[in-house]
Amino acid sequence: MMEAIKHNPLLRSSLLALTLAFVGGGFLTACEDQGPAEEAGERIDDAAEDASDAAEDAADEVEREFD
């Protein structure tokens, strides 16, 4: 089996991707409970996204006015 993995780059890449997916999934489920810092960071991210959306909407409105 190990010999087949060594000589088949597609199989090797697939196994590596699968392993990384399982490890990454484990880290994500381990961090399910958010503390106050994580919640504050999420609120800041949401506010920044809202501000970005508002700026984009304003730019679109200005562009429509000039057209």
Side-chain angles (χ1 to χ4, degrees), residues 1-9 11-12 15:
M1 177 74 176
M2 292 301 287
E3 195 67 31
I5 293 172
K6 287 180 184 178
H7 293 295
N8 189 340
L11 181 60
R12 185 174 40 206
L15 287 174

Side-chain angles (χ1 to χ4, degrees), residues 38-49:
E38 289 86 358
E39 290 175 3
E42 192 171 296
R43 286 194 301 269
I44 291 170
D45 289 344
D46 290 343
E49 187 175 332

